[in-house]
Amino acid sequence: MATVAPAYGKDSTLRIGATSTTTVITNLTSNGISKNRDTRDVTSKLSGDWREMRPTYKGGEISFEGIYTEEGVSVNGYADLDGWWSAGTEIFWEYGSGVSGSRKESGKGYITSLERDDPQDGNTTFSGTIVITGEITVASYT
Amino acid sequence: MSAEIAVIKMLIDSAEVGAICQDRIYPLEAPQGEQLPYVIIEMSDNETFDSKSGKGAVDHSNVSVFCYGRSFKEANNLAQACRNSLEHISGTFNSVVVADVRYRGETSFNEEIENVKMFVIDQDYLIRIKL
């Protein structure tokens, strides 16, 4: 059996904004979403040799990296990200390719880390993390 | 290809380089039997930096500059002249916009071609080109 329609990472972007009208982060080179779930231990003498757990709170983080720029239109560039980080702004985010029928995940979060790197002989880059707050909504692009 | 064109232009325009080898600056190989000293330019790698916003705005090209001389001193003098003419130079050369040239190091060796012994300094440069 052949590999089934592998998705191309380049097509998946991260859109964010201070309102529900979001925009793609400028010059993204990588973005990722990581979900986690806390657990509670319900192991008892009735569990035999095995620990038993039950899921509790859900959460997640979104990571992103890009090439820093100060030229031209800096929509959702580093300056905007820095402003939202500094103000503790609750931001709206949307994750996916935008292709009709493909998976779209969205929600809210806070920028909890923002880094900038200026190497001697390479591009200035930036990276950051958004901690998700509240529900992640899963839908399809129309 | 763009980086080589720019480097050749920078060296041909250099009075310091011209005082040693005139305009004997060639891409990839010198004509057979060419008079020493001369310079050969070779690009070993070109890297672009596109993003999810679209095509890259800069390229990084690794370019080698081979300085050939009849003696080690002649090759070394030519290498120094090339370095003075390239290192941290920016501008537009043959329509190629060079943001920076970074000297990364050099090695030396000798060769014998058609019974002619020659001394060579091999310099490496990183050329940052604006697209």
Side-chain angles (χ1 to χ4, degrees), chain B:
Chain B
M1 186 64 183
S2 295
E4 293 161 297
I5 293 171
V7 168
I8 289 171
K9 174 67 171 165
M10 283 191 262
L11 294 180
I12 282 181
D13 286 350
S14 165
E16 188 176 354
V17 172
I20 300 174
C21 68
Q22 290 78 58
D23 62 351
R24 293 191 297 277
I25 299 165
Y26 304 105
L28 302 179
E29 69 175 13
Q32 191 172 9
E34 178 61 287
Q35 171 190 350
L36 288 164
Y38 55 73
V39 175
I40 290 176
I41 309 299
E42 189 177 291
M43 183 172 71
S44 57
D45 185 37
N46 191 66
E47 183 181 9
T48 194
F49 301 93
D50 58 351
S51 73
K52 297 189 181 188
S53 292
K55 183 175 125 170
V58 293
D59 276 0
H60 279 185
S61 296
N62 288 309
V63 172
S64 295
V65 175
F66 296 92
C67 302
Y68 285 78
R70 289 161 292 200
S71 66
F72 178 76
K73 183 178 179 182
E74 183 172 70
N76 197 58
N77 288 344
L78 180 54
Q80 189 59 55
C82 287
R83 184 174 176 181
N84 292 343
S85 305
L86 294 174
E87 192 172 18
H88 293 314
I89 298 296
S90 60
T92 301
F93 304 92
N94 272 344
S95 302
V96 178
V97 181
V98 175
D100 189 37
V101 179
R102 187 161 170 259
Y103 168 81
R104 303 185 91 168
E106 62 186 48
T107 58
S108 59
F109 58 94
N110 55 19
E111 276 187 1
E112 189 167 318
I113 300 174
E114 295 179 337
N115 294 322
V116 177
K117 191 167 186 178
M118 50 192 79
F119 294 81
V120 190
I121 307 290
D122 169 10
Q123 298 181 317
D124 288 323
Y125 293 90
L126 178 71
I127 319 292
R128 183 174 170 94
I129 295 174
K130 285 188 177 179
L131 302 177

